Amino acid sequence: MAKFELIGTASIPGKGTELRLLRRNDEFSIRIAGTAGELMNTRLHGSEDALAELACQRIAERPAARVLVGGLGMGFTLAAALAALGEDAEVVVAELVPGVVEWNRGPLGAAAGYPLDDPRTRVSVGDVGELLRREPGGFDAIMLDVDNGPEGLTRRENDWLYSPKGLAAAQAALRPDGVLAVWSAGQDPAFTERLRRVGLLVETVTVRAHRPGKGAKHCIWLAH
């Protein structure tokens, strides 16, 4: 089997380390420099798709729905949100690492069908937490796929997003009857309780990394 080839690097702001984009034939992988594991792979995106599908099906009938995707990654959650919503929707995607946006505009973009080219997409380069604070009542749905979920791997600052204050900011950024959906690599009962303590009704859904029904089990919280 062919080996992965390094085709790009991107610095993580405030971290002092970098992400690496690797390619093997038509397969892409994003990894953290200096570690053995990978953050994302284009062959395993079933749970990223499900994050958008589960959230958007609850608000898809709303006229001019406006949603936020926190974390562009490989573009699969963004693409799934666009597929689930109408032509009058707007999907704002917040990505901290500028290089990840460039990868999605370039060699990585074909994997998810170039969702950044969709006229309904708006890109915000920066911290999704700051965007939440700037836009109270701004979104019908918020989908967070930042780092590894509540148990982050790449950036300590992401802890705020999953803290009571961060969750309260996300709740304030929702429109009436809005939905907050949060992706995680695994279950976290303490996080479920944290969502409830800020006044949200919570449902936990287990989804597979690879469809149909294969791969690691990931967790999605749906809160409203």
Side-chain angles (χ1 to χ4, degrees):
M1 181 179 292
K3 293 183 178 180
F4 276 105
E5 171 192 4
L6 178 66
I7 62 170
T9 62
S11 297
I12 303 174
K15 180 64 177 176
T17 188
E18 65 182 15
L19 298 177
R20 293 185 171 182
L21 178 65
L22 299 100
R23 179 172 56 195
R24 179 173 61 193
N25 299 322
D26 61 351
E27 177 186 359
F28 291 86
S29 173
I30 294 179
R31 305 180 184 184
I32 305 171
T35 65
E38 66 179 2
L39 288 177
M40 291 163 266
N41 187 295
T42 50
R43 295 177 59 210
L44 303 170
H45 58 86
S47 60
E48 285 84 353
D49 296 343
L51 175 65
E53 292 164 359
L54 290 167
C56 290
Q57 71 184 18
R58 288 160 169 77
I59 56 95
E61 299 303 318
R62 299 186 187 187
R66 187 167 186 259
V67 306
L68 169 65
V69 176
L72 173 59
M74 292 181 157
F76 291 109
T77 300
L78 171 60
L82 291 165
L85 297 172
E87 292 302 314
D88 60 348
E90 178 180 88
V91 183
V92 180
V93 58
E95 173 55 51
L96 180 70
V97 183
V100 170
V101 178
E102 295 308 308
W103 292 343
N104 277 270
R105 294 194 189 283
L108 182 57
Y114 292 103
L116 291 184
D117 292 344
D118 192 296
R120 296 170 293 169
T121 299
R122 302 288 180 269
V123 179
S124 175
V125 178
D127 189 334
V128 66
E130 295 179 3
L131 179 59
L132 290 173
R133 288 187 286 257
R134 288 200 307 268
E135 296 217 31
F139 303 100
D140 294 288
I142 296 170
M143 294 154 268
L144 298 179
D145 182 3
V146 176
D147 214 320
N148 214 40
E151 295 295 328
L153 290 176
T154 64
R155 198 166 178 264
R156 187 175 299 275
E157 290 85 347
N158 291 331
D159 291 346
W160 178 88
L161 190 61
Y162 301 107
S163 73
K165 288 185 178 179
L167 295 175
Q171 183 180 24
L174 287 173
R175 292 172 176 171
D177 297 318
V179 179
L180 171 64
V182 181
W183 181 97
S184 175
Q187 298 281 345
D188 189 335
F191 183 67
T192 303
E193 184 60 26
R194 214 175 301 152
L195 286 164
R196 289 175 176 149
R197 285 180 179 175
V198 298
L200 293 165
L201 300 174
V202 186
E203 175 188 357
T204 305
V205 181
T206 299
V207 294
R208 292 282 194 168
H210 184 65
R211 292 182 173 179
K214 297 180 180 179
K217 292 182 179 179
H218 295 161
C219 178
I220 294 173
W221 287 271
L222 295 167
H224 60 90

